Amino acid sequence: MGIFDIFKKKPKFVDELFGELGYTKFKDSSKNFYDGQVNFQGNLIGINIDADENGPTNEQKEFFKKLNTDYNKIKENIILPFLRNELEDNIDDAGLNNFDNEFEFDGISIGRIKNEKTEWSITYYSKPMSHYVSIDFEGMKPKYMTIDG
């Protein structure tokens, strides 16, 4: 790979669920991924999916569909309690009481699925904090949160 290879256009892949995706390849194929934009909860958000040249797997597609279908339950029972625990001790007005207006979807990343579990993340833009907030999960268990900046 030469220095100018980084300017090459990424190969495009069209998926029936995710639409048009760019494909990024590495020498270590376990790091290959697809990226694009997808509709989630009525919003156009970024999507990253770890997968080989055959595209996202059926398991990853089903996982995304379940996230979209069950999002409100996941938000209320998993995401908000986790964010309250992580943020409220440190930030006076994190915007959690008005979450849907104060946090905008930015993107979702879905890892490879092993033993019916995947590492995945969801990222929001927090208006009160003026930063991006990402929550990394293992299955449906939040592991940690990062705030950019």
Side-chain angles (χ1 to χ4, degrees):
M1 179 170 156
I3 184 100
F4 293 103
D5 287 343
I6 62 172
F7 298 112
K8 286 183 180 177
K9 281 190 170 190
K10 289 194 233 179
K12 295 290 181 189
F13 181 89
V14 179
D15 181 83
E16 70 276 359
L17 175 64
F18 298 114
E20 187 174 290
L21 299 169
Y23 183 54
T24 303
K25 288 174 61 173
F26 295 93
K27 284 183 182 180
D28 178 356
S29 63
S30 70
K31 296 180 181 182
N32 295 355
F33 68 91
Y34 291 86
D35 64 281
Q37 292 192 315
V38 68
N39 193 309
F40 182 79
Q41 297 292 300
N43 298 283
L44 195 60
I45 66 165
I47 184 84
N48 289 322
I49 306 155
D50 295 345
D52 64 22
E53 65 276 353
N54 296 313
T57 65
N58 287 332
E59 292 89 354
Q60 288 170 313
K61 292 175 190 180
E62 289 304 315
F63 181 81
F64 178 81
K65 287 180 196 176
K66 187 164 176 53
L67 279 180
N68 201 14
T69 301
D70 296 347
Y71 175 73
N72 285 326
K73 189 168 41 173
I74 294 166
K75 176 182 72 176
E76 293 299 324
N77 296 324
I78 300 171
I79 293 173
L80 284 174
F82 179 76
L83 287 175
R84 281 188 185 101
N85 186 52
E86 294 291 314
L87 293 175
E88 285 189 342
D89 290 342
N90 302 316
I91 299 170
D92 291 332
D93 184 17
L96 296 177
N97 292 330
N98 195 8
F99 184 82
D100 291 334
N101 291 321
E102 299 292 350
F103 284 74
E104 296 175 349
F105 288 111
D106 182 63
I108 292 176
S109 294
I110 301 173
R112 287 176 168 81
I113 296 181
K114 299 173 194 144
N115 301 322
E116 299 182 17
K117 284 195 177 178
T118 185
E119 292 181 1
W120 65 283
S121 67
I122 190 164
T123 302
Y124 301 95
Y125 179 74
S126 167
K127 294 176 193 174
M129 293 186 281
S130 296
H131 286 286
Y132 289 93
V133 177
S134 294
I135 306 168
D136 291 334
F137 292 82
E138 205 170 279
M140 284 298 154
K141 184 173 174 69
K143 289 299 188 183
Y144 55 91
M145 177 195 72
T146 54
I147 299 174
D148 77 330

